[in-house]
């Protein structure tokens, strides 16, 4: 009798809420685009998703590289100024992408578990966090002058300081566009619609590449603005990408219905996003701290050493973009199948990703060894800078294959809710090893010895990745049900 009454009560409850029950039934039966993350063969799915992401991130890297190439032809001082600003651009990206990664991984996990209401809440709270992050960088832009003086040495000339201050101020004041754009990209990524990310990135970058020389050199009757023109062209391109991201999500991403009325803070959701995202923010933020510290060490030798290091970072961003595309494609696949309890697909995605990561970065190392002069020539580098750059590119590119392994393992750590592992690795690599080594090597062997700090730190990072992978297999994968 108790069971019968329970059934009757449930039937009455259904009849009293017909709209809610119809919605629930439709949600449970509707085939969603994200379902392919748990059904399509893993290898082709990973390639299919990573290809547009890799291209889009390659295109994204063009923002800074195109600026630097044009500025190298405009003046070495302008190129040096932008190189000094690079740590803060990294910091901006760290907060934007780190928060978006937390949102994307949580979104994919809820979609895999068919918890669509929670996925919708994650998406909207991600945008609230992006706006909160922007306040930090707007404030940095307000103090661009004192901050830039802190980054440079006493011997830095006035033109570099003037160019760097205006570039830093503009990029930080208008940093809301790339932050919101990152959110739109990760919404598309989390639901498997990565091809639209490519359209967003290519449009903004083509706009930047066209407008850059016009504003830098002063074509069509406009004044030559140098570094200021480069900053404006970059942020205008990012705003265009942001507009496209909003359009694509509203029109094609039906799994997450974006609405201003749904932008209500939900503290537990924000906490869950940052539980995954903060390690990623720290992971990339320590890169900004590392960049700032290495610049300070190199500035003791010359501004030319800082510029060489800046050029290396622009070039290595191209090498890392295919890897990051593979990394970002792996996160939703692993997270979805973790939520769906598909151990076989999860492990396959992890294994394939690592193999591709090491292979991609090994090819990049070979290219840096064969074509260093040609790569430096892209920036109109003077002969003394080319000579320094050849040595720097040869030594620092040795770390690429080790980074390939660690970064792809980091995708699994994030997707499985263990982003803190990636954070720990990054802290060891980019703070506790690389900065002391660079300082010590500078004292022992001069500027060219500084570059060896990078391979040393990357070997340590890979070793930690191996240790954490074993822990993941023991604590998480071994407890999943094989299928």
């Amino acid at each position: 009798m108790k069971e019968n009454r329970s059934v009757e009560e449930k039937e009455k409850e259904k009849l009293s809420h017909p709209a809610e029950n119809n919605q629930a039934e439709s949600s449970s039966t509707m085939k969603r685009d994200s379902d392919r993350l748990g059904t399509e063969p893993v290898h082709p799915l990973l390639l299919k998703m990573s290809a547009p992401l890799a291209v889009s991130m390659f295109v994204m890297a063009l923002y800074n590289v195109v600026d630097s190439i044009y500025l190298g032809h405009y003046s070495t001082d302008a190129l040096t100024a932008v190189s000094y600003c690079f740590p803060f651009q990294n910091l901006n990206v760290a907060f934007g992408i780190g928060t978006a990664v937390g949102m994307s991984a949580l979104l994919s996990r809820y979609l895999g578990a068919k918890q669509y209401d929670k996925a919708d809440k994650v998406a909207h709270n991600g945008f609230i966090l992006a706006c909160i992050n922007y306040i930090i960088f707007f404030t940095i832009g307000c103090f661009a002058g004192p901050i830039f003086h802190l980054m440079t040495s006493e011997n830095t000339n006035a033109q570099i300081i003037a160019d760097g201050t205006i570039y830093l101020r503009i990029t930080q004041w208008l940093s809301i566009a790339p932050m919101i754009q990152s959110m739109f990209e990760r919404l598309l990524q989390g639901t498997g619609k990565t091809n639209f990310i490519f359209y967003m990135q290519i449009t903004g970058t083509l706009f930047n590449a066209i407008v850059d020389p016009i504003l830098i050199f002063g074509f069509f009757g406009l004044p030559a603005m140098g570094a200021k023109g480069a900053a404006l062209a970059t942020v205008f391109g990012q705003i265009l990408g942001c507009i496209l991201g909003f359009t694509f999500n509203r029109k094609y991403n039906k799994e997450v219905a974006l609405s201003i009325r749904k932008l209500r803070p939900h503290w537990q959701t924000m906490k869950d996003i940052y539980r995954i995202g903060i390690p990623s923010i720290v992971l990339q933020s320590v890169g900004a701290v590392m960049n700032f510290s290495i610049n300070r060490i190199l500035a003791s030798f010359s501004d030319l050493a800082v510029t060489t290091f800046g050029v290396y970072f622009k070039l290595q961003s191209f090498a890392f973009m295919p890897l990051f595309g593979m990394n970002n494609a792996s996160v939703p696949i692993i997270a979805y199948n973790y939520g769906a309890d598909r151990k076989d697909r999860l492990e396959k995605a992890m294994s394939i990703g690592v193999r591709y990561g090491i292979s991609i970065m090994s090819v990049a190392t070979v290219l840096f060894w064969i074509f260093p002069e040609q790569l430096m020539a892209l920036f109109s580098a003077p002969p003394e800078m080319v000579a320094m750059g050849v040595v720097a590119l040869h030594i620092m590119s040795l770390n690429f294959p080790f980074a390939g392994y660690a970064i792809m393992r980091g995708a699994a750590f994030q997707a499985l809710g263990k982003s803190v592992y990636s954070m720990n690795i990054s802290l060891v690599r980019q703070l506790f090893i690389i900065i002391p080594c660079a300082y010590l090597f500078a004292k022992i062997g001069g500027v060219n010895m500084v570059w060896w700090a990078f391979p040393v730190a990357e070997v340590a990072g890979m070793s930690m990745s191996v240790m954490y992978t074993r822990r993941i297999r023991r604590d998480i994968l071994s407890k999943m049900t094989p299928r």
Side-chain angles (χ1 to χ4, degrees), residues 24-281:
E25 288 175 10
S26 115
S27 294
S28 64
T29 57
M30 181 175 58
K31 176 136 178 98
R32 294 178 175 252
D33 290 342
S34 60
D35 289 344
R36 70 193 183 104
L37 299 176
T39 57
E40 290 189 15
V42 174
H43 195 166
L45 176 64
L46 185 58
L47 293 178
K48 189 190 305 182
M49 288 183 61
S50 65
L53 283 171
V55 173
S56 69
M57 297 190 78
F58 180 85
V59 168
M60 184 172 65
L62 284 173
Y63 274 119
N64 289 328
V65 173
V66 167
D67 284 353
S68 297
I69 290 174
Y70 284 128
L71 288 173
H73 289 275
Y74 180 79
S75 80
T76 303
D77 284 348
L79 179 59
T80 303
V82 173
S83 297
Y84 272 114
C85 292
F86 197 59
F88 280 93
Q89 290 178 282
N90 271 353
L91 195 63
N92 191 299
V93 170
F95 274 77
I97 292 183
T99 304
V101 162
M103 178 196 70
S104 178
L106 199 59
L107 178 74
S108 295
R109 191 183 305 169
Y110 284 142
L111 290 173
K114 313 300 181 186
Q115 296 176 331
Y116 303 120
D117 289 341
K118 288 185 177 181
D120 196 60
K121 192 175 292 183
V122 166
H124 287 85
N125 277 268
F127 283 93
I128 294 173
L129 291 175
C131 294
I132 293 173
N133 291 339
Y134 168 64
I135 296 172
I136 298 172
F137 294 96
F138 181 85
T139 305
I140 290 174
C142 293
F143 297 95
I147 289 172
F148 195 83
H149 274 89
L150 179 65
M151 292 189 290
T152 56
S153 68
E154 296 179 357
N155 299 323
T156 302
N157 69 52
Q159 188 59 52
I160 292 175
I161 292 174
D163 286 344
T165 299
I166 192 65
Y167 189 91
L168 183 62
R169 181 173 293 133
I170 291 172
T171 54
Q172 300 309 301
W173 275 352
L174 297 177
S175 61
I176 186 65
M179 286 192 175
I180 296 297
Q181 182 178 341
S182 293
M183 288 293 167
F184 285 135
E185 289 174 1
R186 290 316 186 278
L187 280 181
L188 293 166
Q189 173 194 327
T191 53
K193 300 176 182 66
T194 54
N195 56 314
F196 291 110
I197 299 176
F198 169 73
Y199 302 141
M200 292 168 59
Q201 293 288 356
I202 194 68
T203 302
T205 300
L206 285 175
F207 178 88
N208 179 54
I210 294 170
V211 175
D212 239 334
I214 296 173
L215 298 183
I216 290 173
F217 298 103
F219 297 149
F220 304 112
L222 293 173
M225 290 187 278
K228 180 181 179 181
L232 289 172
T234 295
V235 296
F236 289 160
Q238 291 167 339
I239 290 171
L240 179 58
C242 187
I243 293 171
L244 286 176
F246 173 78
T247 303
F248 290 146
N249 274 282
R250 286 284 291 177
K251 189 171 182 180
Y252 300 108
N253 202 353
K254 303 302 181 182
E255 296 179 70
V256 180
L258 295 175
S259 171
I260 294 178
R261 288 175 297 179
K262 294 182 181 179
L263 289 173
R264 298 189 187 94
H266 186 267
W267 304 117
Q268 185 58 48
T269 301
M270 289 183 176
K271 180 181 176 181
D272 290 341
I273 291 173
Y274 267 148
R275 183 172 55 83
I276 300 173
I278 282 182
S280 184
I281 291 172

Side-chain angles (χ1 to χ4, degrees), residues 306-458:
V306 175
T307 310
T308 301
F309 182 56
V311 166
Y312 161 77
F313 252 89
K314 303 296 171 65
L315 291 172
Q316 66 100 35
S317 67
F318 279 103
F320 277 82
M321 286 309 109
L323 178 66
F324 287 140
M326 185 69 66
N327 173 283
N328 287 340
S330 297
V331 170
I333 295 175
I334 296 172
Y336 185 100
N337 286 285
Y338 179 46
D341 197 29
R342 291 295 307 270
K343 180 181 179 180
D344 56 332
R345 293 177 59 82
L346 188 158
E347 289 187 317
K348 192 168 186 179
M350 288 176 59
S351 176
I352 294 171
V354 165
R355 291 202 299 269
Y356 272 109
I358 295 173
S359 300
I360 289 168
M361 298 313 293
S362 296
V363 171
T365 299
V366 172
L367 293 176
F368 271 55
W369 271 78
I370 296 176
F371 304 110
E373 293 92 349
Q374 292 85 345
L375 292 172
M376 294 298 298
L378 292 173
F379 300 86
S380 191
E384 60 273 23
M385 183 174 160
V386 172
M388 184 183 294
V390 168
V391 177
L393 265 58
H394 278 168
I395 296 174
M396 287 192 283
S397 64
L398 293 174
N399 73 64
F400 289 172
F402 305 108
Y405 177 90
I407 288 173
M408 290 312 301
R409 284 305 187 209
F413 301 156
Q414 291 174 359
L416 297 173
K418 297 293 184 180
S419 297
V420 68
Y421 292 169
S422 296
M423 180 183 70
N424 292 342
I425 293 168
S426 185
L427 288 171
V428 169
R429 283 173 49 242
Q430 301 190 72
L431 288 183
F432 303 145
I433 292 182
I434 198 169
I435 294 175
C437 282
Y439 180 80
L440 179 63
F441 291 168
K443 297 296 184 182
I444 294 174
V447 65
N448 285 335
M449 190 69 183
V450 173
W451 316 131
W452 282 103
F454 289 82
V456 171
E458 211 62 66

